[in-house]
Amino acid sequence: MRLLTHNMLASNVKGTTNGFPLKIEVLLKEEREAEFHAGFLVNTLSKIEWDAFRTAAETLGLTDLPPTVPEDADTDETFLRAFHHALLEVHVKEGYLICPDSGRRFPITKGIPNMLLNEDEVA
């Protein structure tokens, strides 16, 4: 699972009022090189919830992202490369996504998060 995916997931367990952002518990991660496309990154940046993204990146040991998105993010290649690395090159292979409200743990197996709910968890 990439952080791009993580930033778009939320817990919908019955009774949950704040299911985003999910916490990450990493058991196994890997890094895979991905082709750099500045245009894609600039377009994606507006769709990312930055605080959640940065916190998730820190959980994975990535500490080179700034606290806020730079004003000149679309032309700051150092920033875009750090964003690219965190967004697309780091993969959580095994672990858990944890609902911040209910504590429900969703497994990540072979890089795929399983967000399916049990019958008693559906609203």
Side-chain angles (χ1 to χ4, degrees), residues 40-113:
F40 171 78
L41 296 168
V42 170
N43 289 332
T44 303
L45 193 53
S46 65
K47 297 168 180 68
I48 295 289
E49 204 295 321
W50 185 256
D51 289 336
F53 179 76
R54 187 170 170 268
T55 300
E58 287 177 350
T59 300
L60 299 179
L62 306 172
T63 58
D64 54 347
L65 294 170
T68 58
V69 176
E71 295 269 334
D72 63 343
D74 56 336
T75 59
D76 183 342
E77 186 158 341
T78 301
F79 166 76
L80 288 175
R81 293 230 176 243
F83 179 49
H84 164 80
H85 179 68
L87 187 72
L88 300 172
E89 294 185 329
V90 178
H91 297 255
V92 177
K93 297 298 288 177
E94 303 290 332
Y96 294 92
L97 296 174
I98 305 164
C99 175
D101 203 20
S102 69
R104 167 69 149 84
R105 296 163 60 88
F106 299 95
I108 303 167
T109 306
K110 297 181 183 176
I112 301 170

Side-chain angles (χ1 to χ4, degrees), residues 13-34:
V13 172
K14 180 171 48 177
T16 298
T17 56
N18 183 25
F20 180 85
L22 296 164
K23 297 173 186 168
I24 303 175
E25 181 180 313
V26 179
L27 300 177
L28 177 65
K29 73 174 182 175
E30 71 178 23
E31 294 186 17
R32 286 189 252 155
E33 197 171 315

